[in-house]
Amino acid sequence: MATILQVPAPQTDHTEALTVPRSRRASGFRVHVSRFKWLYLLLLPGLIYFAVFRYAPMFGAVIAFKDFVPFLGIWDSPWVGGAHFVDFFQSPDFPRLLANTLILALLNLTIAFPLTIVIALLLNELRLNLLKRTVQTLIYVPHFLSWTVVASLTYLLFALDTGPLFHFINGILGTDIDFLASADWFRPIIVLQEIWKNTGWGTIIFLAALASVDQEQYEAAIIDGAGRFRRVWHITLPSIRPTIVVMLILQMGQILNTGFEQIYLMTNSLNREVADVFDTFVYFMGITQGSYSYSTAVGLFKAVIGVVLIFGANWLSRRFNQEGIF
């Protein structure tokens, strides 16, 4: 019986086979850019905007570690290290600013954000296209109004003695509350403004996610006898869960950004104790008092916390087997 000799196959380096020459990669990139040149041209203004107005000013954040003097410039101003951060953390304003900012952020996160999802679900259940488009238009329009207009409408509605909502609410409660000057009513008014202005606009993303839900799942659920609520709970919400998680992560990054214009326009001497937040504090210290380094340190602290919250929320999302943003 003949013996069959097995010659071992020559060893090949798979890394060499997978390695693409640099010249070929460069050629492929040029072909890709040439193929989609008009899309890249449309992208160019956005890139320029972020480069000029978002990333370039970040180099000036170094004044947070200096005693900035405008006549000396950024680089010639004396270095003080973390002195401004220490002064801010030890100041009596820090606990108050942190509490006011977090309370407003948590109210928006627990009320306005879920309400966006609820409105998207309700709009998705509408079957009359004319009614659906009309409601969408009505709730989208406030987003395009400036905060100056929103604040002006609020002052007209809640104005002392002349505001219709002032008389309506006080007539029901049997009180005589000046809502615009009351510290207890400042946060509810801010949350109501946020809901009225931005909730409708935020539903766009969730409506887009709802449009991608497989309709065959609904048909199978209907055959099995599932009602509308069970279809929403067991099909709709699980299908848009990745979108909800991503939006929640992005919302966490903005938790300390309560909105300067809105807070500034609604602040007065009677509600300032609960109205002062990090954004308005940076404005007053930097613009009105000229403490550029101190206000930059406060803004840098807020930005760092936002980055930490984004990475932390993304890590938690991954830990619970959910999709993150990276």
Side-chain angles (χ1 to χ4, degrees):
M1 183 174 181
T3 303
I4 300 176
L5 298 178
Q6 294 182 353
V7 181
Q11 298 293 330
T12 58
D13 190 356
H14 296 285
T15 58
E16 293 182 0
L18 296 176
T19 302
V20 181
R22 183 177 300 177
S23 59
R24 186 179 300 178
R25 291 200 304 268
S27 176
F29 177 74
R30 286 194 297 268
V31 171
H32 178 78
V33 173
S34 176
R35 181 181 179 184
F36 300 102
K37 57 184 177 182
W38 298 116
L39 293 179
Y40 281 105
L41 186 62
L42 291 174
L43 183 64
L44 187 60
L47 294 177
I48 294 175
Y49 167 79
F50 278 98
V52 174
F53 296 103
R54 297 291 183 177
Y55 289 99
M58 292 175 64
F59 292 101
V62 70
I63 67 174
F65 305 95
K66 293 191 172 188
D67 186 12
F68 176 68
V69 180
F71 297 103
L72 296 178
I74 294 177
W75 303 113
D76 294 331
S77 297
W79 183 272
V80 296
H84 297 303
F85 294 94
V86 174
D87 293 340
F88 176 60
F89 295 147
Q90 293 179 349
S91 69
D93 293 322
F94 177 72
R96 179 172 58 89
L97 294 172
L98 182 62
N100 292 341
T101 304
L102 288 180
I103 290 174
L104 285 176
L106 291 176
L107 287 175
N108 287 326
L109 189 63
T110 56
I111 298 176
F113 181 75
L115 190 60
T116 303
I117 303 173
V118 172
I119 292 178
L121 293 174
L122 293 176
L123 288 174
N124 188 61
E125 293 297 320
L126 290 177
R127 294 295 174 259
L128 295 176
N129 290 329
L130 178 61
L131 177 60
K132 184 176 182 178
R133 290 196 297 267
T134 302
V135 174
Q136 286 177 338
T137 302
L138 291 176
I139 64 177
Y140 290 168
V141 167
H143 175 76
F144 299 98
L145 300 178
S146 67
W147 279 115
T148 303
V149 175
V150 175
S152 300
L153 291 174
T154 304
Y155 276 99
L156 290 175
L157 293 173
F158 289 95
L160 189 65
D161 296 333
T162 60
L165 289 182
F166 170 83
H167 290 287
F168 178 74
I169 298 177
N170 281 320
I172 294 177
L173 300 178
T175 56
D176 191 20
I177 302 173
D178 185 0
F179 300 101
L180 298 175
S182 173
D184 295 332
W185 281 89
F186 174 79
R187 289 163 182 157
I189 290 177
I190 292 296
V191 174
L192 289 175
Q193 286 180 336
E194 181 69 24
I195 291 174
W196 183 73
K197 187 176 188 298
N198 292 325
T199 300
W201 180 258
T203 59
I204 293 177
I205 297 177
F206 294 109
L207 285 173
L210 290 170
S212 63
V213 179
D214 188 5
Q215 297 299 316
E216 293 182 356
Q217 298 185 36
Y218 292 115
E219 296 174 359
I222 293 174
I223 294 174
D224 291 337
R228 178 168 295 183
F229 177 78
R230 286 194 173 275
R231 294 198 300 270
V232 170
W233 184 259
H234 294 287
I235 299 176
T236 306
L237 288 178
S239 299
I240 65 172
R241 185 183 301 159
T243 304
I244 296 175
V245 171
V246 170
M247 295 302 297
L248 182 60
I249 293 173
L250 296 176
Q251 190 76 14
M252 291 297 296
Q254 300 291 324
I255 197 168
L256 296 184
N257 294 330
T258 50
F260 166 75
E261 297 90 349
Q262 180 190 15
I263 304 298
Y264 178 76
L265 291 171
M266 297 304 299
T267 301
N268 54 59
S269 58
L270 297 177
N271 62 16
R272 188 177 299 278
E273 186 64 25
V274 297
D276 278 338
V277 293
F278 288 126
D279 291 324
T280 56
F281 185 76
V282 168
Y283 168 77
F284 286 120
M285 294 301 297
I287 303 300
T288 63
Q289 299 188 19
S291 301
Y292 302 111
S293 295
Y294 187 79
S295 61
T296 303
V298 178
L300 186 59
F301 160 76
K302 189 183 70 171
V304 170
I305 295 299
V307 172
V308 172
L309 288 175
I310 286 180
F311 278 91
N314 188 79
W315 177 81
L316 285 176
S317 174
R318 293 291 189 181
R319 290 282 294 178
F320 287 98
N321 299 321
Q322 299 295 325
E323 294 184 6
I325 60 176
F326 48 82

